[in-house]
Amino acid sequence: MTLRFSRTTFAAMAALAIGFGPAIAEPVDDELVVNEELTITTKAAAAPHLDGHMSEVYSGWLFRTDETRAMQMDDFDNPMFIYVERGAEAWTTAEGTEGKACADCHGALEEGMKGVRAAMPKVNAAGALWSMEDYINDCRTNRMGAEALKWNSNEMKDMTSAISLQSRGMPVNVAIDGPAAEFWERGKEIYYTRFGQLEMSCASCHEENYGNNIRADHLSQGQTNGFPLYRLKDGAAVSIHQRFVGCVRDTRAETFAAGSQEFRELELYVASRGMGLDIEGVAVRP
Amino acid sequence: MKRHVVLATAVIFAAGAAFAETAPTEVTFEEGAVAQSLTGVPGNPEEGAKVAATRPLGNCVACHEISALSADFQGNVGPSLNGAADRWEEAQLRGIVIDAKHTFEGTVMPGMYKTGPFIRPGDAYTGKAAPADLPPILTAQQVEDVVAFLMTLKE
């Protein structure tokens, strides 16, 4: 007997010999309708660049329990709306030496910020890849004369939440070609790199094992369309990069910092894996 | 009298030398299996059961169902380990626990007695860089204990 199996051979063997293989449990069959009026696409055919990796993409919402899913179906039950409300207020509040508010340049939040979240992160005029946090801080420091907000501060999450909500129900729409291509390629490389003492990549959990359980956690595809989102376990909003930090740390690796070039590139690549899904603009997760 | 002491010391010394622990970098795999005990001290299955159920240690239940353990939320990323001893020899199980990648190419199962090379190794679950002398996840004796525990998993 030779001991070196490929994973698929092994799975087939295990299924034959002992009656079960690693089960790919399906995400739930449910539809996300918010406030009984807005239907959000949580399941879609995978984008062509995922050929050979995945055929369908699913929002993390489909992997959660009935109770957690329900919290996202009504804005009154969604704890993220505390952040959204504070962010909407900050939108019209003048700050900094120029005495300007966001609204003075961008107009109403609902119009000025429509679709912005769906296209993030994106390459700026100077050719750098920026996340929404970078754009917010650029306005604050260069146009308002205000201080930059810390990446994971409540004030930053207030603003990213209020802006993300304006793309709710719009499909993820990141550019991955042209000037974005090199960033996307590097993000993809990070996604498949097996980091840390546990030698696990993002794909180890979110591509090869979504639907399975790792201890108490039901693994999703690790999509970012729901961010920023409320994490019940933390009792607080969580940013995309904050989630990346946690996932990399859990491989017993030295993480990258929130806001780092690496995480912006990873953010672009992971966002592109969610093409076809709608922005949930402030989701709820366990 | 004096001769006796010398002799006794010699015996202890010899025993120590014969059963010197195998370092993670010195383990030799044969088709994924590791025939020799890492310590020469028989594994304790009860200790092994604890290692298998405890998060910062083996945490085998994160990915495997093991009905003999009462740990909640046993995962299913890997196959159930019930009856593992019916399917594998001791040497094969030792190899799988030390570094399963020698048995299952590309597996997500982490090497439990391995010190590198790793990409961006961290200091346990702190997210900080690992110290230069990063210890393996399990000690040599913990590996032997887990193997002894796995050998009790018969159906």
Side-chain angles (χ1 to χ4, degrees):
Chain A
M1 165 183 184
T2 143
L3 274 176
R4 234 183 146 82
F5 305 113
S6 79
R7 245 201 324 285
T8 30
T9 324
F10 176 77
M13 263 194 45
L16 280 175
I18 41 180
F20 55 84
I24 296 288
E26 287 299 314
V28 297
D29 188 13
D30 196 3
E31 198 174 54
L32 175 53
V33 182
V34 180
N35 302 332
E36 292 179 4
E37 57 183 29
L38 177 65
T39 302
I40 292 181
T41 304
T42 55
K43 187 192 274 194
H49 64 78
L50 288 173
D51 266 2
H53 293 272
M54 298 201 291
S55 51
E56 268 202 308
V57 290
Y58 307 109
S59 159
W61 183 79
L62 291 172
F63 295 82
R64 312 296 31 127
T65 59
D66 294 355
E67 300 78 56
T68 309
R69 287 203 313 283
M71 290 179 80
Q72 207 185 308
M73 297 180 83
D74 188 325
D75 293 349
F76 283 108
D77 298 331
N78 184 337
M80 280 307 285
F81 277 80
I82 298 165
Y83 294 80
V84 169
E85 276 160 31
R86 283 196 307 247
E89 202 176 305
W91 181 261
T92 55
T93 309
E95 257 200 87
T97 53
E98 303 301 305
K100 281 189 199 147
C102 316
D104 292 326
C105 293
H106 298 283
L109 179 62
E110 293 75 12
E111 278 122 52
M113 292 293 115
K114 197 172 174 58
V116 168
R117 166 68 174 91
M120 289 288 170
K122 69 175 180 196
V123 177
N124 69 12
L129 179 68
W130 274 5
S131 301
M132 201 199 297
E133 287 87 345
D134 296 302
Y135 286 95
I136 291 169
N137 272 338
D138 180 52
C139 282
R140 289 184 57 90
T141 55
N142 292 326
R143 290 185 265 281
M144 295 163 71
E147 275 182 19
L149 299 175
K150 290 228 167 67
W151 200 276
N152 286 323
S153 62
N154 276 334
E155 291 85 350
M156 180 61 93
K157 288 173 186 169
D158 293 345
M159 193 53 79
T160 56
S161 300
I163 294 174
S164 295
L165 186 66
Q166 312 314 321
S167 296
R168 185 157 76 174
M170 297 173 72
V172 173
N173 185 27
V174 285
I176 62 174
D177 51 3
E182 56 168 317
F183 301 117
W184 184 82
E185 285 294 344
R186 282 207 295 269
K188 180 176 180 185
E189 203 177 304
I190 294 172
Y191 191 88
Y192 286 104
T193 300
R194 300 184 67 154
F195 290 113
Q197 192 166 19
L198 300 187
E199 299 178 274
M200 292 175 102
S201 68
C202 311
S204 303
C205 287
H206 298 297
E207 180 172 301
E208 293 174 36
N209 280 297
Y210 67 83
N212 285 335
N213 282 293
I214 194 158
R215 203 83 203 234
D217 292 311
H218 190 212
L219 288 167
S220 73
Q221 290 183 342
Q223 300 286 1
T224 49
N225 59 312
F227 283 81
L229 53 76
Y230 197 80
R231 205 166 168 210
L232 296 165
K233 189 174 145 195
D234 298 343
V238 169
S239 73
I240 294 173
H241 290 201
Q242 204 171 0
R243 180 77 237 195
F244 289 174
V245 165
C247 283
V248 175
R249 185 193 53 213
D250 284 350
T251 67
R252 289 185 182 238
E254 178 187 3
T255 64
F256 300 98
S260 62
Q261 181 68 23
E262 288 88 351
F263 274 171
R264 276 180 271 141
E265 290 163 355
L266 183 63
E267 182 187 340
L268 175 61
Y269 178 70
V270 178
S272 79
R273 293 175 68 96
M275 283 167 147
L277 300 175
D278 282 349
I279 294 295
E280 287 167 25
V282 302
V284 184
R285 300 287 185 263
Chain B
M1 184 75 198
K2 193 152 184 230
R3 269 179 86 87
H4 248 98
V5 175
V6 172
L7 226 142
T9 321
V11 168
I12 289 167
F13 190 74
F19 296 117
E21 233 177 68
T22 309
T25 48
E26 282 159 11
V27 177
T28 44
F29 293 86
E30 226 168 286
E31 305 236 19
V34 176
Q36 233 203 339
S37 160
L38 295 177
T39 60
V41 178
N44 174 343
E46 278 157 39
E47 284 302 313
K50 275 186 224 155
V51 170
T54 310
R55 179 169 137 100
L57 298 175
N59 199 18
C60 314
V61 293
C63 296
H64 296 284
E65 182 205 342
I66 309 175
S67 303
L69 297 177
S70 59
D72 335 340
F73 303 119
Q74 304 189 354
N76 61 351
V77 164
S80 159
L81 296 187
N82 296 335
D86 301 328
R87 297 189 290 278
W88 305 96
E89 309 279 327
E90 184 188 278
Q92 295 175 323
L93 291 172
R94 184 178 290 110
I96 292 172
V97 175
I98 292 173
D99 188 359
K101 289 179 184 63
H102 293 263
T103 302
F104 309 108
E105 206 180 323
T107 185
V108 300
M109 178 163 158
M112 298 291 163
Y113 193 65
K114 187 172 183 180
T115 50
F118 299 126
I119 301 169
R120 296 180 73 86
D123 188 358
Y125 293 104
T126 61
K128 301 207 166 72
D133 58 342
L134 177 69
I137 295 171
L138 299 183
T139 65
Q141 194 55 46
Q142 284 170 332
V143 170
E144 292 305 323
D145 293 346
V146 169
V147 171
F149 167 66
L150 292 174
M151 288 304 290
T152 67
L153 302 179
K154 297 205 163 105
E155 277 181 331

